[in-house]
């Protein structure tokens, strides 16, 4: 499901959900305008969480699927499908907090001397409603190109249930998505979660698979109510200014108001080298999308513009680092509106060795992506550096920081058969600390074990964990690299 977030997914800067065990439906939306560096977690068009669980139960002998998140702990999930018709499915998703149950049994004041007494103690603890979470999901196929989804999740530890409604329509070369959530769960770049009482969005995105193509995305967002930081996580990052760590200073793009966004981009991909060695005969690759050794590169350049009306417009000129945004900025205090525009660019590199056919070490894949989210900041920093060099002056560290791109690295290695290991991480270079002139930090590395489902051509079960956010999840993904 494409959402309304500027992230590069190979075809453009789009808004993609990320996977998270914080919610029963497994989704959280990144804070808009907050560059996402979790390549292993970003999600495009995928199966809904209930459909994933249904497939695992029916075809992978997994009656219970584990998840973990702080502070809820270790949970087990199972889904029950209720097929009303060929075009209408209803799913009942249940979650049991195993860690809390074990803790409650251990901390029970009673010390049963007999097995029957122990069973009664277990029974009493099982009646604790806080151990359970329940989700109801309805998927209705209106036409071959139209899908309507409703979801309602209830948690005993939450003040109110989470609800959502999503409508999708597929045009020949475009995707239309309209969504309303209450409350909406958003995650910022340092891993803090925010609840927005009501959020609604609609977007039209072009779809293309060409190596040389023009793409665009038009969207509108509406937020209502005062955002609050979710109590399920309280991550802090010393590299982020203290004003961003306070609950009373939420990301400005989540403030109440209306936002209109548009992005246009041109993308070009090319093969530097591609193996012409024939594959093993009568041996199907574990994943057809990972069966061709190659070295390739791609680049993208584009422009984005946003208009804000409401409380969000008053802070629209402040970027994620608490500084004034570069690019074109216009504001009208009387109309309570503002306008932002800027250019962006990115460069990516991919190298793969192996056909993913043999039993051992037949796949090694490396990916690197450099993103320049603000072309105006880059040009300003480059101009300042050039002047310093021409005048034989010491380069300004702020200017050097401005030209440093956001980097994302990914490495995947086959271990044995269909099993491979993957690690994704963002790389941040901080040049503003006078005590430590150069600081290189990993931004939320994601570790994953992938099991390729051989018979399906290109599908995999992924068990990933994010140590910084203390999350673990098992997912099913189709036709993704």
């Amino acid at each position: 499901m494409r959402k309304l977030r500027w992230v590069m997914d190979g075809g453009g800067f789009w808004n993609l959900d990320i996977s998270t065990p914080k919610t029963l439906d497994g989704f959280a939306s990144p804070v808009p305008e907050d560059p996402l560096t979790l390549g292993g977690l970003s999600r495009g068009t995928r199966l809904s969480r209930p459909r994933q669980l249904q497939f695992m139960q029916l075809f992978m002998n997994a009656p219970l699927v584990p998840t973990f998140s702080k502070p809820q702990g270790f949970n087990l999930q199972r889904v029950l499908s209720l097929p009303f018709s060929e075009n209408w499915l209803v799913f009942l998703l249940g979650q049991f907090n195993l860690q809390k149950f074990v803790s409650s049994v251990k901390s029970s004041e009673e010390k049963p001397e007999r097995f029957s007494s122990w069973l009664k103690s277990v029974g009493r603890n099982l009646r604790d409603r806080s151990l359970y979470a329940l989700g109801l999901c309805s998927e209705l196929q209106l036409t071959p190109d139209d899908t309507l989804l409703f979801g309602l999740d209830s948690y005993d530890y939450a003040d109110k249930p989470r609800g959502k409604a999503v409508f999708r329509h597929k045009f020949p070369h475009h995707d239309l998505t309209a969504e309303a959530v209450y409350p909406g769960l958003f995650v910022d770049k340092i891993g803090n979660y925010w609840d927005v009482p009501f959020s609604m969005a609609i977007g039209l995105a072009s779809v293309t698979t060409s190596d040389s193509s023009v793409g665009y995305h038009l969207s509108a967002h509406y937020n209502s109510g005062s955002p609050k930081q979710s109590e399920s996580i309280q991550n802090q990052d010393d590299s982020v200014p203290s004003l961003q760590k306070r609950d009373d200073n939420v990301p400005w793009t989540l403030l109440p108001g209306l936002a209109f966004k548009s992005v246009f981009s041109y993308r070009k991909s090319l093969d530097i080298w591609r193996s012409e060695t024939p594959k093993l005969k009568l041996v199907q690759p574990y994943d057809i999308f990972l069966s061709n050794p190659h070295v390739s590169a791609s680049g993208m350049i584009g422009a984005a513009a946003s208009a804000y009306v409401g409380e969000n417009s008053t802070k629209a000129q402040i970027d994620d680092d608490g500084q004034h945004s570069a690019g074109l900025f216009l504001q009208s205090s009387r109309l309570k509106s503002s306008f932002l525009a800027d250019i962006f660019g990115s460069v990516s590199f991919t190298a793969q060795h192996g056909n993913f056919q043999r039993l051992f070490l037949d796949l090694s894949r490396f990916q690197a992506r450099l993103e320049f989210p603000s072309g105006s900041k880059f040009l300003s920093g480059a101009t300042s550096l050039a002047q310093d060099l021409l005048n034989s002056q010491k380069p300004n560290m702020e200017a050097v920081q401005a030209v440093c791109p956001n980097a994302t690295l990914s490495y995947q290695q086959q271990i044995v058969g269909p099993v491979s290991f993957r690690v994704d991480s963002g790389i941040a270079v901080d040049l503003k600390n006078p005590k430590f002139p150069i600081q290189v930090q990993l931004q939320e590395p994601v570790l994953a074990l992938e099991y390729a489902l051989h018979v399906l051509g290109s599908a995999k079960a992924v068990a990933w964990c994010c140590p910084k956010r203390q999350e673990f999840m098992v997912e099913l993904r189709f036709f993704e690299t």
Side-chain angles (χ1 to χ4, degrees):
M1 177 175 60
R2 282 196 173 98
K3 297 287 215 54
L4 310 170
R5 158 151 181 69
W6 315 130
V7 184
M8 195 174 84
D9 64 345
F13 273 64
W14 306 122
N15 183 341
L16 305 181
D17 280 348
I18 68 168
S19 302
T20 177
K22 294 291 182 183
T23 60
L24 280 178
D25 68 353
F27 296 126
S29 298
V31 172
E33 305 292 343
D34 186 7
L36 182 66
T37 57
L38 302 181
L41 298 187
S42 63
R43 57 184 308 132
T45 303
R46 295 187 195 164
L47 289 181
S48 64
R49 185 61 178 169
R51 284 189 177 272
Q52 291 183 34
L53 296 177
Q54 182 189 39
F55 185 93
M56 294 181 199
Q57 291 172 192
L58 294 177
F59 303 106
M60 298 180 62
N61 298 320
L64 297 171
V65 179
T67 66
F68 177 86
S69 63
K70 282 289 188 177
Q72 285 84 12
F74 188 81
N75 296 289
L76 297 174
Q77 293 184 337
R78 183 173 175 83
V79 70
L80 174 65
S81 60
L82 306 172
F84 283 89
S85 67
E86 293 183 359
N87 299 327
W88 185 22
L89 288 176
V90 176
F91 298 96
L92 188 62
L93 196 159
Q95 178 173 281
F96 177 70
N97 194 322
L98 181 61
Q99 182 171 330
K100 185 175 180 180
F101 169 71
V102 173
S103 299
S104 62
V105 171
K106 288 183 177 180
S107 62
S108 179
E109 296 182 359
E110 288 189 33
K111 295 182 178 180
E113 299 177 356
R114 294 181 300 177
F115 182 71
S116 60
S117 299
W118 179 82
L119 285 178
K120 291 181 180 179
S121 176
V122 170
R124 283 195 298 270
N125 285 287
L126 285 174
R127 290 194 293 269
D128 184 0
R129 292 192 303 171
S130 65
L131 298 176
Y132 304 94
L134 199 62
L136 184 66
C137 178
S138 173
E139 295 186 16
L140 181 60
Q141 192 80 25
L142 300 175
T143 70
D145 297 324
D146 296 284
T147 304
L148 185 61
L149 183 145
F150 292 97
L152 184 65
D153 300 339
S154 177
Y155 312 84
D156 184 78
Y157 53 82
D159 295 337
K160 53 185 176 181
R162 295 188 183 275
K164 71 187 309 182
V166 183
F167 172 76
R168 305 188 190 101
H169 177 77
K170 293 182 180 180
F171 292 101
H173 302 289
H174 298 80
D175 283 345
L176 175 68
T177 301
E179 180 187 65
V181 291
Y182 51 94
L185 185 67
F186 293 81
V187 58
D188 60 26
K189 66 179 180 180
I190 62 174
N192 286 321
Y193 287 89
W194 300 87
D195 282 322
V196 177
F198 179 76
S199 180
M200 186 168 58
I202 182 171
L204 179 68
S206 62
V207 178
T208 179
T209 57
S210 173
D211 291 337
S212 179
S213 60
V214 175
Y216 57 90
H217 192 183
L218 309 175
S219 64
H221 306 248
Y222 173 73
N223 291 333
S224 176
S226 300
K228 294 182 180 179
Q229 188 170 5
S230 173
E231 296 184 2
S232 60
I233 189 168
Q234 296 291 336
N235 284 343
Q236 298 294 348
D237 190 336
D238 294 336
S239 65
V240 178
S242 58
L243 65 86
Q244 290 190 345
K245 298 181 181 180
R246 303 199 310 261
D247 289 347
D248 60 348
N249 199 301
V250 302
W252 63 269
T253 50
L254 300 184
L255 294 174
L258 186 63
F260 299 95
K261 302 182 181 182
S262 62
V263 60
F264 296 85
S265 63
Y266 173 75
R267 174 177 177 265
K268 177 67 176 179
S269 300
L270 58 91
D271 283 339
I272 300 173
W273 168 82
R274 186 167 291 271
S275 175
E276 297 181 357
T277 304
K279 300 182 177 66
L280 296 177
K281 294 182 179 180
L282 303 178
V283 179
Q284 180 184 354
Y286 292 106
D287 191 318
I288 59 174
F289 285 176
L290 301 176
S291 61
N292 295 308
H294 67 280
V295 177
S296 63
S298 65
M300 179 186 297
I301 188 170
S306 304
Y308 299 90
V309 180
E311 293 183 26
N312 53 4
S313 66
T314 60
K315 297 184 179 181
Q317 76 276 20
I318 304 300
D319 64 14
D320 295 326
D321 295 325
Q323 301 177 354
H324 284 274
S325 296
L328 175 63
F329 173 72
L330 303 172
Q331 187 175 42
S332 173
S333 301
R334 186 178 64 178
L335 300 177
K336 213 172 186 179
S337 61
S338 59
F339 176 82
L340 282 170
D342 205 347
I343 58 176
F344 61 84
S346 69
V347 178
S348 61
F349 173 84
T350 303
Q352 177 180 319
H353 172 73
N355 299 101
F356 207 16
Q357 287 182 299
R358 294 178 173 85
L359 190 60
F360 296 103
L361 306 178
D362 193 30
L363 174 67
S364 299
R365 182 180 174 89
F366 172 78
Q367 292 178 298
R369 186 172 73 228
L370 302 179
E371 296 180 358
F372 301 88
S374 174
S376 57
K377 278 189 176 182
F378 177 82
L379 294 176
S380 176
T383 302
S384 177
L385 285 177
Q387 291 177 348
D388 291 339
L389 293 176
L390 290 175
N391 297 328
S392 299
Q393 297 179 351
K394 182 180 179 180
N396 187 337
M397 287 296 100
E398 292 186 358
V400 176
Q401 183 77 63
V403 300
C404 290
N406 299 328
T408 303
L409 302 180
S410 175
Y411 179 75
Q412 184 176 359
Q413 177 64 58
Q414 180 194 20
I415 301 175
V416 57
V419 180
S420 62
F421 172 77
R422 176 170 170 170
V423 57
D424 289 30
S425 179
I427 305 294
V429 179
D430 185 7
L431 304 176
K432 299 179 181 179
N433 192 331
K435 296 182 179 179
F436 304 96
I438 300 180
Q439 287 184 313
V440 180
Q441 299 177 344
L442 296 179
Q443 291 186 329
E444 296 196 5
V446 179
L447 311 176
L449 276 179
E450 299 188 355
Y451 183 88
L453 303 179
H454 198 190
V455 297
L456 297 180
S458 181
K460 55 192 174 184
V462 182
W464 61 262
C465 70
C466 182
K468 182 177 180 180
R469 288 197 284 137
Q470 301 183 66
E471 294 183 357
F472 167 82
M473 194 173 182
V474 178
E475 286 192 282
L476 191 67
R477 301 185 180 180
F478 290 89
F479 305 108
E480 294 185 17
T481 58

